Amino acid sequence: MSQYDEGHTVAGWTGTAIATFGSAVVGAGICLVSPALIVGGLGILVASVLVTWALHLAGWGKPPGVRPRGEWRMGARDPAARGGHADCWGCRLAGRGRRAGAGVASGVVPVAGEPKPEPAVAEAG
């Protein structure tokens, strides 16, 4: 067992497998001088990025930083993926990224175009 969180996740391995296949198709297209295979392989490479991104957003990826040792196994899901990761550009592209200090402490994430929620006020009693 490794002593480091290497980030082996379902999203990572799936994306790598699809990208490897796409690279092989591009390579075959270059060797056979086939524009159709080259374009098809490039399309598969783009699909690998999109599939990996979707799996990350679904919780099958790894959050930034080191995970707790109990979450190092391959099939571990990321419970924080639904809310987005603070320093993850993939989450920010999906509209889930949080800015530092903007609702992180209260758990409220502001949505573009909506008024900011009022802070809770404790009633005297």
Side-chain angles (χ1 to χ4, degrees), residues 17 50-51 53 56 65 77 84-85 90 94-95 99 101 103-104 111 114-115 119-120 122:
L50 296 175
V51 166
W53 185 31
H56 169 76
R77 291 202 65 177
H85 303 110
R99 293 191 181 103
V104 176
V111 178
E114 291 185 6

Side-chain angles (χ1 to χ4, degrees), residues 1-2 5 66-77 79:
M1 176 111 172
S2 174
D5 180 18
V66 180
R67 298 176 290 181
R69 191 169 185 89
E71 295 178 12
W72 285 8
R73 62 182 170 71
M74 175 71 165
R77 291 202 65 177

Side-chain angles (χ1 to χ4, degrees), residues 5-61:
D5 180 18
E6 297 175 347
H8 295 291
T9 64
V10 172
W13 281 105
T14 303
T16 299
I18 295 170
T20 301
F21 180 70
S23 297
V25 172
V26 169
I30 291 171
C31 291
L32 298 173
V33 190
S34 171
L37 281 177
I38 293 172
V39 171
L42 292 173
I44 294 170
L45 288 172
V46 169
S48 74
V49 171
L50 296 175
V51 166
T52 305
W53 185 31
L55 287 171
H56 169 76
L57 294 175
W60 291 108

Side-chain angles (χ1 to χ4, degrees), residues 85-87 92 96-105 108-112:
H85 303 110
D87 295 327
R92 288 184 184 176
R96 294 184 184 179
R98 299 180 193 152
R99 293 191 181 103
V104 176
V108 177
V109 179
V111 178

